[in-house]
Amino acid sequence: MGLNSARYVLREVGSSLRRNIWLSIASVLTIMIAMVILGASLFFFLNAANLAENFESELEINVFTQEDLSNMEVSALGERLKGLDGVQSIELITKEQALAKFAQEYSESLVEDLGGENPFPDSYKVFVTEPELVEGVAKKIDSLTGVDNVVYGKEVIGPLLQFTNWLRWVGMGVVAIFAVASIVLISLNIRMTVYSRRKEIEIMKLVGASNSFIRWPFLLEGMVVGLVGGLFATLIVGMGYDWFAQYIQSTLTFVPVVSESNLIWKVLALLVLIGMGIGALGSIISLRRFLKV
Amino acid sequence: MGLNSARYVLREVGSSLRRNIWLSIASVLTIMIAMVILGASLFFFLNAANLAENFESELEINVFTQEDLSNMEVSALGERLKGLDGVQSIELITKEQALAKFAQEYSESLVEDLGGENPFPDSYKVFVTEPELVEGVAKKIDSLTGVDNVVYGKEVIGPLLQFTNWLRWVGMGVVAIFAVASIVLISLNIRMTVYSRRKEIEIMKLVGASNSFIRWPFLLEGMVVGLVGGLFATLIVGMGYDWFAQYIQSTLTFVPVVSESNLIWKVLALLVLIGMGIGALGSIISLRRFLKV
Amino acid sequence: MIQMTNVAKIYPNGARALVDISLKINKGEFVFLVGPSGAGKSTLIRLLYREEMASRGQVIVNGWNILRMREREVPHFRRNIGVIFQDFKLLANKTAFENVAFALEAIGVSPKEVRLRTKKMLKLVGLGHKENAFPDELSGGEQQRVSVARAIINNPSLLVADEPTGNLDADTAWEIMELLYNINRRGTTIVMATHARDIVEQMQKRVIVIEDGRVVRDENMGAIEYGT
Amino acid sequence: MIQMTNVAKIYPNGARALVDISLKINKGEFVFLVGPSGAGKSTLIRLLYREEMASRGQVIVNGWNILRMREREVPHFRRNIGVIFQDFKLLANKTAFENVAFALEAIGVSPKEVRLRTKKMLKLVGLGHKENAFPDELSGGEQQRVSVARAIINNPSLLVADEPTGNLDADTAWEIMELLYNINRRGTTIVMATHARDIVEQMQKRVIVIEDGRVVRDENMGAIEYGT
Ligand SMILES: Nc1ncnc2c1ncn2[C@@H]1O[C@H](COP(=O)(O)OP(=O)(O)OP(=O)(O)O)[C@@H](O)[C@H]1O
Ligand SMILES: Nc1ncnc2c1ncn2[C@@H]1O[C@H](COP(=O)(O)OP(=O)(O)OP(=O)(O)O)[C@@H](O)[C@H]1O
Ligand SMILES: [Mg+2]
Ligand SMILES: [Mg+2]
């Protein structure tokens, strides 16, 4: 494309957007809404995955020590536990802590009934790196000296893993469905825009314009419209999510929310890019049908 | 409208849908996608609300009886508990059951250490009708004779209610946002369809057709397109949700899913009605601008 | 039938299409509107069926004061006016038959009668064999004849024709003129803008010459003569 | 320049627009195409710039075999052909100026030259004052002249004109004919379909008469005469 044509294209894009202002606005709005929906689903996925990981990281193995261990022996056992393959971290719960927790959970008076006696041993909470390892690690721990009993949510692990995997899949499913929906919606819209200008395209061809000469303004128009729509969507999704994340963190403190601004920015940038991409690609593809004159 | 005009309108709707087949398909698809999104959000809301209720219904008050009560006295207490305002149901947990549960949660060996002694009293789990009532009912129970101790998740109720309310609000928010998005998307699409036929409308008016004569075919066309789009959406959402609900019920048995077919049918019918409604209304409103010739 | 008093028309973009037009056309007259390209003929015609509104002055057609008409009276008013548009204005999504039939359907004529009258009319303009063709499957002259057929099918009391023979060969043009002549004889007032010198000369009807938005000549039986 | 051999054209809907056309037009000729409405004039013209393809026979224009041309060669081929369409085919979203300028921009002429040449051309067709008007703000005749201006602005070696004076008054029509005459004298081949009897008679050029898709007469210097 020569310099003269390039100048024509730029002028043409501007005047076409202005003169078909109504169509331009409709396209921007459509892309905006589609991208908002897609963006919302992306954040849903991120949080679902995050939540899943969070749940998994809370799988714990309770290791009860033999009652007659000295403090030294207990901490030695702790060291050995830390050294095991697959162990992420451990946490000591002394017999006093155990009793206090029991009193809180059940009733003070029950503890009083015990008459100052503490039936609880010292215990360790062991966290593993991967939820799949819980079982193996628990077996290994069971064979260590000084260990009286090992308890872990045997019947919980299966369902939990199922649930967390499910959460991830649902997140991905939602993104996939909404991505398809967004793309189809935008494509339909662009196709209608191009369709409503098919006469114009035909005339241009009859007057001797080459395909690329006709295509460029459409391509750029699609990009501009997609860019503007994507930017609006980014603004909406960005501000909406920010508000949402802060609201949750301040009210539902126990629910983990993805709030790494780095990741968020990446998602938002992706939205703008997708908007522009579909805008441009959609224009080109829709145009093809009408260029055969 | 006379009979002759009615016949014209029916014929006109058919041929217009056929001759603008491309636009018809685009509209049907757009409405379908918008309705699928809306439908998905409605089911999301239903399940969020259901989940919230479920959580709340699990709020319980643990009532520990005094240790020296006879079985008769215990069941008399149970009767009195049942009679209290705001109590939905109660569940007796005998001291034996309490010990067994403890053994399972903590460790068998710990129970053995107790030397055959059972430190647990009989207790009742009391469920209330409204989560807000827990505190008041607990206080009332505390003053009953035979009650040693009343325990309820004092610090859990606040966050839980916050969370469940939040869940409901999010559900509604999602529905609201997606409803607006769907309506805007459909409106834009219909407006573009009408816009692309504005010349046609102008000519009809210039030839002497009245507004209503022009409007009727558009209205019906909008309804047909909306109906078809809505039906497809219903099919997709209905089958999708059915699969989803069954999948969850068979794999994540602990997650409650809304599956009353009555309710589901209502939601699906709503989708079809909304599709038709927006289709017809959108057509009429979009037409207004172009009828002023 | 038609009375225009000091009518001016300035388009939104500032173009002064009509400057000062006053004229009176009686019921049953056959009037040619002639003048150079861009003189304002089509604009004047558009005022008659209220596609455009005069910027100044008064327009009375068929007893209706066009400037005072209410929006919903317009369709009723237009039903007594047949219009042949310079650019045909055919419905692209309807066949020749349906385009002509539309004018009847819009006023609630029964399907059977629509069929009969439309077929007859299409034959009359020589398009009996093209009734199922869509406008873009017709030649320019054929489209023009469909437009003529649609304008006259419901026996309007006023027929405004904007260059109804511009795309027709001489023979076909004369056939159309004969049609109009007969309609006029049966009482329809006709206002026809045209560039066809021979038609105007031969018909010997009233000729109004418009130039730059003004009436410069108005003769009872005249020929085209204007410019330098 | 143009060679048609046993050309037939049947439209997708079954209409037989051209039955058997063979003709040869030399470089620099000025040829009138006449015939009744629906005879096939526009169809023949559409074959010349490849808007439609012949169903049978061979069409050679400017040395290009139209039926064998590759898709992407078409724009290049069309650049040497100016077309005045019967229905004008102006771009509704562009002003008169931009419509004419488009033909130059499409071949990469510099903005400055586009400006100069377009302005000059619009003046030549008498529309210097209407350059910023959009097509629907122009009278029928004015639109036709924009179409004429666009067709001839890049000095095509072949000009095909489909009733280029149908919407023009006699004086303006003659101005346009003078324009075409001058272009023809400078070497452009012209094929013009028309119904204007007086123009054909006065120009004394080659006349090809088409009726029902066949050439029924072909005279070097003739007048319109066909039918019964
Ligand atoms: N919609 C419009 N907006 C702005 N200006 C217009 C519009 N329609 C016509 N004009 C201008 O008004 C003037 C008169 O136009 P009109 O169409 O009445 O001419 P006309 O006599 O019918 O010409 P022709 O014989 O070429 O059809 C012209 O200069 C034209 O450019
Ligand atoms: N796109 C099309 N599809 C089907 N039939 C067509 C098409 N275009 C033209 N025809 C038919 O082909 C025949 C010739 O049409 P054409 O336009 O070539 O006539 P013409 O000589 O230009 O007539 P006019 O003087 O009225 O413009 C006509 O009968 C017409 O109905
Ligand atoms: Mg005019
Ligand atoms: Mg033709």
Side-chain angles (χ1 to χ4, degrees):
Chain A
M1 195 171 60
L3 183 63
N4 294 334
S5 296
R7 280 195 231 168
Y8 159 83
V9 165
L10 288 183
R11 221 174 345 102
E12 177 65 15
V13 168
S15 75
S16 170
L17 283 171
R18 247 184 307 119
R19 286 178 193 166
N20 299 303
I21 184 70
W22 197 85
L23 288 179
S24 308
I25 291 177
S27 294
V28 165
L29 277 178
T30 302
I31 293 180
M32 185 188 89
I33 292 176
M35 286 294 111
V36 166
I37 291 174
L38 180 63
S41 73
L42 278 173
F43 279 110
F44 173 76
F45 166 67
L46 283 181
N47 276 292
N50 183 47
L51 209 62
E53 199 167 313
N54 239 285
F55 280 142
E56 288 173 355
S57 73
E58 274 169 22
L59 266 186
E60 57 188 28
I61 304 172
N62 285 298
V63 180
F64 296 95
T65 60
Q66 282 164 358
E67 239 172 308
D68 46 4
L69 290 194
S70 68
N71 283 355
M72 281 276 296
E73 283 167 317
V74 169
S75 38
L77 176 63
E79 288 307 312
R80 259 178 297 149
L81 288 175
K82 251 193 239 169
L84 286 176
D85 267 2
V87 170
Q88 165 117 351
S89 66
I90 61 169
E91 191 186 329
L92 173 65
I93 289 145
T94 61
K95 41 172 66 181
E96 291 76 27
Q97 284 168 340
L99 184 67
K101 187 166 166 248
F102 175 78
Q104 198 185 33
E105 260 174 36
Y106 286 81
S107 101
E108 291 287 347
S109 60
L110 230 116
V111 174
E112 280 157 28
D113 293 346
L114 292 172
E117 215 186 300
N118 185 346
F120 293 97
D122 290 326
S123 69
Y124 277 106
K125 269 199 176 124
V126 175
F127 299 95
V128 296
T129 49
E130 299 287 332
E132 289 81 6
L133 301 178
V134 169
E135 202 152 358
V137 171
K139 283 216 181 96
K140 254 188 269 169
I141 294 175
D142 212 7
S143 65
L144 295 178
T145 53
V147 171
D148 177 39
N149 197 5
V150 176
V151 175
Y152 63 95
K154 230 183 211 130
E155 58 300 321
V156 173
I157 290 184
L160 182 79
L161 283 183
Q162 207 168 27
F163 176 70
T164 52
N165 279 330
W166 178 87
L167 206 58
R168 289 198 188 87
W169 278 110
V170 165
M172 276 195 270
V174 167
V175 169
I177 289 173
F178 283 0
V180 170
S182 303
I183 290 173
V184 173
L185 281 174
I186 297 177
S187 304
L188 283 174
N189 177 282
I190 291 177
R191 204 170 263 256
M192 280 177 78
T193 311
V194 173
Y195 178 78
S196 77
R197 292 174 68 184
R198 66 196 182 285
K199 283 260 153 36
E200 209 178 311
I201 297 164
E202 189 188 316
I203 294 174
M204 288 178 172
K205 283 229 61 174
L206 290 181
V207 173
S210 66
N211 285 357
S212 70
F213 188 75
I214 297 172
R215 202 182 282 128
W216 272 104
F218 273 88
L219 178 82
L220 261 121
E221 248 184 88
M223 274 175 72
V224 169
V225 164
L227 180 69
V228 175
L231 279 176
F232 276 125
T234 293
L235 216 70
I236 293 175
V237 173
M239 285 183 6
Y241 185 71
D242 192 55
W243 172 84
F244 182 80
Q246 273 180 16
Y247 174 75
I248 291 192
Q249 278 170 340
S250 66
T251 57
L252 298 168
T253 38
F254 50 91
V255 178
V257 188
V258 174
S259 60
E260 299 159 58
S261 64
N262 206 352
L263 186 61
I264 295 179
W265 279 115
K266 269 187 201 149
V267 173
L268 296 181
L270 191 68
L271 282 193
V272 178
L273 282 180
I274 293 177
M276 241 170 75
I278 307 180
L281 250 173
S283 296
I284 293 299
I285 294 170
S286 309
L287 209 57
R288 287 231 314 255
R289 283 183 56 191
F290 302 113
L291 278 177
K292 291 193 182 133
V293 178
Chain B
M1 193 171 60
L3 182 66
N4 293 333
S5 296
R7 280 195 230 166
Y8 159 81
V9 165
L10 289 183
R11 219 171 352 98
E12 175 65 16
V13 168
S15 75
S16 171
L17 284 172
R18 246 184 307 118
R19 287 178 190 166
N20 299 302
I21 184 69
W22 198 86
L23 287 179
S24 308
I25 292 177
S27 292
V28 165
L29 277 179
T30 301
I31 293 180
M32 184 190 90
I33 292 177
M35 286 294 112
V36 165
I37 290 175
L38 180 63
S41 73
L42 278 174
F43 279 110
F44 173 75
F45 165 66
L46 283 181
N47 276 293
N50 183 47
L51 208 64
E53 201 167 312
N54 238 285
F55 281 143
E56 287 172 358
S57 72
E58 274 172 20
L59 264 187
E60 57 188 29
I61 305 173
N62 286 299
V63 181
F64 296 96
T65 62
Q66 283 164 358
E67 236 169 312
D68 45 7
L69 290 194
S70 67
N71 282 354
M72 283 274 294
E73 282 168 317
V74 168
S75 34
L77 178 64
E79 289 306 313
R80 259 178 296 151
L81 288 175
K82 252 191 237 167
L84 285 177
D85 268 3
V87 169
Q88 166 117 351
S89 67
I90 61 169
E91 191 185 330
L92 172 68
I93 290 144
T94 61
K95 42 174 65 182
E96 291 76 25
Q97 285 168 337
L99 185 68
K101 188 165 168 251
F102 175 78
Q104 194 185 34
E105 260 174 34
Y106 286 81
S107 102
E108 294 286 348
S109 62
L110 231 114
V111 174
E112 280 157 27
D113 291 347
L114 291 173
E117 213 187 305
N118 184 349
F120 291 97
D122 290 325
S123 67
Y124 277 107
K125 268 199 177 125
V126 175
F127 297 95
V128 294
T129 50
E130 299 287 332
E132 286 82 6
L133 299 178
V134 169
E135 203 152 359
V137 171
K139 281 214 181 97
K140 256 189 268 170
I141 295 175
D142 211 5
S143 62
L144 295 178
T145 53
V147 171
D148 178 40
N149 199 3
V150 176
V151 174
Y152 64 94
K154 229 183 215 134
E155 56 304 317
V156 173
I157 290 185
L160 183 77
L161 283 184
Q162 207 168 29
F163 177 69
T164 52
N165 279 329
W166 178 87
L167 205 57
R168 289 199 189 87
W169 278 110
V170 165
M172 279 195 266
V174 167
V175 169
I177 290 173
F178 282 0
V180 170
S182 302
I183 291 174
V184 173
L185 281 173
I186 296 176
S187 304
L188 282 174
N189 177 282
I190 290 177
R191 203 169 264 257
M192 279 177 78
T193 312
V194 174
Y195 177 80
S196 79
R197 293 173 67 185
R198 65 195 183 285
K199 284 260 151 38
E200 209 177 310
I201 297 164
E202 190 187 316
I203 294 173
M204 288 178 172
K205 285 232 59 177
L206 290 180
V207 173
S210 66
N211 285 355
S212 70
F213 189 76
I214 297 172
R215 204 183 280 128
W216 272 103
F218 273 90
L219 178 82
L220 261 119
E221 248 184 87
M223 276 175 70
V224 170
V225 165
L227 180 71
V228 176
L231 279 175
F232 277 125
T234 293
L235 216 71
I236 293 176
V237 173
M239 287 181 8
Y241 186 70
D242 193 57
W243 172 83
F244 182 79
Q246 275 179 17
Y247 173 75
I248 290 191
Q249 279 170 339
S250 68
T251 57
L252 298 170
T253 37
F254 50 90
V255 178
V257 188
V258 175
S259 60
E260 300 158 58
S261 66
N262 205 352
L263 185 64
I264 293 178
W265 280 114
K266 271 188 202 150
V267 173
L268 294 181
L270 191 70
L271 281 192
V272 178
L273 282 181
I274 293 178
M276 243 171 74
I278 307 182
L281 250 173
S283 296
I284 293 298
I285 294 172
S286 308
L287 210 57
R288 287 236 311 258
R289 282 182 57 190
F290 302 114
L291 278 178
K292 291 192 182 135
V293 179
Chain C
M1 194 72 182
I2 296 174
Q3 174 124 33
M4 294 187 139
T5 330
N6 297 112
V7 169
K9 174 67 191 177
I10 300 167
Y11 281 107
N13 74 347
R16 298 169 65 89
L18 298 179
V19 176
D20 183 9
I21 302 267
S22 296
L23 54 81
K24 189 167 180 302
I25 294 173
N26 293 317
K27 202 166 159 46
E29 268 195 283
F30 196 131
V31 180
F32 285 115
L33 222 54
V34 305
S37 171
K41 305 180 294 296
S42 298
T43 303
L44 197 158
I45 279 180
R46 279 187 211 123
L47 296 179
L48 296 180
Y49 58 87
R50 202 177 178 275
E51 181 179 348
E52 295 285 350
M53 305 276 268
S55 314
R56 191 158 50 75
Q58 207 178 36
V59 182
I60 294 174
V61 177
N62 241 337
W64 300 72
N65 185 331
I66 289 198
L67 293 157
R68 297 244 180 90
M69 202 178 288
R70 261 171 291 160
E71 193 73 50
R72 56 189 183 70
E73 292 172 333
V74 175
H76 196 243
F77 160 74
R78 285 192 184 136
R79 274 172 204 186
N80 287 311
I81 305 179
V83 186
I84 303 169
F85 303 91
Q86 188 169 10
D87 54 355
F88 315 153
K89 290 205 192 299
L90 298 179
L91 295 164
N93 273 321
K94 292 191 187 300
T95 63
F97 180 91
E98 290 165 343
N99 263 285
V100 178
F102 184 82
L104 293 177
E105 281 160 341
I107 57 175
V109 175
S110 78
K112 208 175 138 188
E113 202 184 329
V114 167
R115 240 189 115 61
L116 247 114
R117 280 168 68 178
T118 305
K119 289 220 176 228
K120 206 173 121 199
M121 185 52 74
L122 279 173
K123 267 196 203 101
L124 210 59
V125 297
L127 289 178
H129 59 302
K130 288 284 177 190
E131 61 174 47
N132 289 322
F134 288 94
D136 63 4
E137 295 171 351
L138 293 173
S139 82
E142 287 163 351
Q143 290 178 37
Q144 189 153 46
R145 283 178 280 160
V146 174
S147 171
V148 170
R150 180 180 62 186
I152 64 183
I153 193 160
N154 51 16
N155 305 316
S157 58
L158 169 64
L159 178 70
V160 289
D162 202 349
E163 305 192 22
T165 62
N167 284 268
L168 298 176
D169 61 286
D171 293 355
T172 315
W174 275 111
E175 281 167 25
I176 295 297
M177 285 317 296
E178 230 175 274
L179 206 61
L180 299 191
Y181 180 77
N182 287 329
I183 290 170
N184 177 242
R185 278 211 315 187
R186 290 208 302 272
T188 298
T189 313
I190 297 185
V191 180
M192 167 171 162
T194 189
H195 291 307
R197 199 183 280 263
D198 54 340
I199 288 178
V200 176
E201 269 164 17
Q202 207 152 328
M203 294 281 287
Q204 289 295 312
K205 297 286 185 183
R206 180 173 166 195
V207 176
I208 298 176
V209 182
I210 297 187
E211 253 174 80
D212 289 332
R214 282 177 225 269
V215 176
V216 295
R217 209 155 58 84
D218 185 348
E219 278 179 36
N220 258 350
M221 306 212 300
I224 295 185
E225 257 175 68
Y226 51 77
T228 39
Chain D
M1 191 74 182
I2 297 173
Q3 174 124 32
M4 293 187 141
T5 330
N6 297 112
V7 168
K9 173 66 190 177
I10 301 167
Y11 282 107
N13 73 347
R16 297 170 65 88
L18 299 179
V19 176
D20 184 8
I21 302 267
S22 295
L23 54 80
K24 189 168 181 301
I25 294 172
N26 292 319
K27 202 164 157 48
E29 267 195 284
F30 195 131
V31 180
F32 285 113
L33 224 53
V34 304
S37 173
K41 306 180 293 298
S42 298
T43 303
L44 196 157
I45 278 180
R46 280 189 208 119
L47 296 180
L48 297 181
Y49 59 87
R50 203 176 177 276
E51 181 181 348
E52 296 285 351
M53 305 277 268
S55 315
R56 192 161 49 77
Q58 207 178 38
V59 183
I60 293 175
V61 176
N62 241 339
W64 300 72
N65 185 332
I66 288 196
L67 293 158
R68 299 247 179 88
M69 204 178 288
R70 261 172 290 162
E71 193 73 49
R72 52 188 185 69
E73 291 172 334
V74 175
H76 196 241
F77 159 73
R78 285 194 184 132
R79 275 175 201 182
N80 288 311
I81 304 179
V83 186
I84 304 170
F85 303 91
Q86 190 169 8
D87 55 355
F88 315 153
K89 291 207 195 295
L90 298 178
L91 295 163
N93 274 321
K94 290 192 189 300
T95 62
F97 180 91
E98 290 165 345
N99 263 287
V100 177
F102 184 83
L104 293 178
E105 280 160 341
I107 56 175
V109 174
S110 78
K112 206 173 140 188
E113 203 184 329
V114 168
R115 238 186 117 61
L116 248 113
R117 279 167 68 177
T118 306
K119 290 221 173 227
K120 205 173 124 200
M121 184 52 74
L122 279 173
K123 269 199 200 97
L124 210 59
V125 296
L127 288 177
H129 59 303
K130 289 282 176 191
E131 62 173 46
N132 290 321
F134 288 94
D136 64 4
E137 296 171 349
L138 293 172
S139 83
E142 287 164 349
Q143 289 177 36
Q144 189 154 47
R145 283 178 280 161
V146 174
S147 171
V148 171
R150 182 182 58 187
I152 63 182
I153 193 161
N154 52 16
N155 305 316
S157 59
L158 169 65
L159 177 71
V160 289
D162 201 348
E163 305 192 23
T165 62
N167 284 269
L168 298 177
D169 61 285
D171 293 356
T172 316
W174 275 111
E175 280 167 27
I176 296 296
M177 287 316 298
E178 230 175 273
L179 205 61
L180 299 192
Y181 180 76
N182 286 330
I183 291 170
N184 175 243
R185 278 210 316 186
R186 289 208 302 271
T188 299
T189 313
I190 297 185
V191 180
M192 166 170 163
T194 189
H195 291 307
R197 200 182 280 263
D198 53 339
I199 288 177
V200 176
E201 269 164 17
Q202 206 152 331
M203 293 282 288
Q204 289 295 312
K205 297 288 186 182
R206 180 173 167 194
V207 175
I208 298 176
V209 182
I210 298 186
E211 251 173 82
D212 289 330
R214 282 177 225 270
V215 176
V216 294
R217 211 155 58 83
D218 187 346
E219 280 180 34
N220 258 351
M221 305 210 303
I224 296 184
E225 256 175 69
Y226 53 78
T228 40

